Amino acid sequence: QVQLVESGGGVVQPGGSLRLSCSASGRTFSTTTMGWFRQAPGKEREFVAVISWNGGRTYYGESVKGRFTISRDNAKNTVYLQINSLKREDTAVYLCAAHRVGNYFSSSSYDYWGQGTQVTVSS
């Protein structure tokens, strides 16, 4: 069992920034690849970013490259998502997930999910 709890969402103006956090407990966090996804109303869940167990490898979705940064602190069992230069189309529920096996970019490869944190970009 893994419990994931996201925080840090909110309402921000276009061009603003937020830092999302995902706190993990349960399965050994330090050996687990972690990902962030997002889901907007009426849309499919979209891959945002993934980070390897030691932080040595990161990958990003095309729509967030250059604006979002994923990082982790294994001592704190926490993964972060720094989101900058926010656009209205970034509005979504952001979810963190623990990778199990397979394609990093597919939500079906993740077996534990948090409840999500809402990010709303609005002026």
Side-chain angles (χ1 to χ4, degrees):
Q1 282 281 356
V2 177
Q3 293 78 44
L4 302 172
V5 179
E6 301 95 334
S7 61
V11 180
V12 62
Q13 292 186 342
S17 299
L18 282 174
R19 189 194 197 200
L20 308 184
S21 299
C22 173
S23 178
S25 61
R27 186 169 75 194
T28 305
F29 176 81
S30 61
T31 60
T32 301
T33 292
M34 297 295 296
W36 283 97
F37 288 74
R38 66 185 182 185
Q39 190 159 21
K43 295 188 177 181
E44 292 186 356
R45 192 163 291 186
E46 177 189 9
F47 168 77
V48 173
V50 62
I51 187 167
S52 61
W53 64 274
N54 64 352
R57 288 181 298 167
T58 58
Y59 301 100
Y60 296 91
E62 285 297 323
S63 62
V64 308
K65 278 182 181 178
R67 300 188 298 122
F68 290 17
T69 303
I70 189 171
S71 62
R72 66 190 298 160
D73 185 339
N74 286 345
K76 296 182 178 180
N77 281 7
T78 302
V79 61
Y80 303 99
L81 186 69
Q82 178 68 41
I83 49 180
N84 298 328
S85 303
L86 278 160
K87 305 175 182 180
R88 286 184 173 81
E89 51 264 42
D90 293 320
T91 295
V93 174
Y94 284 72
L95 307 105
C96 71
H99 182 259
R100 184 177 63 88
V101 64
N103 184 348
Y104 288 151
F105 313 118
S106 172
S107 60
S108 63
S109 300
Y110 296 76
D111 56 353
Y112 291 100
W113 294 81
Q115 83 290 345
T117 186
Q118 176 72 45
V119 173
T120 302
V121 185
S122 173
S123 55

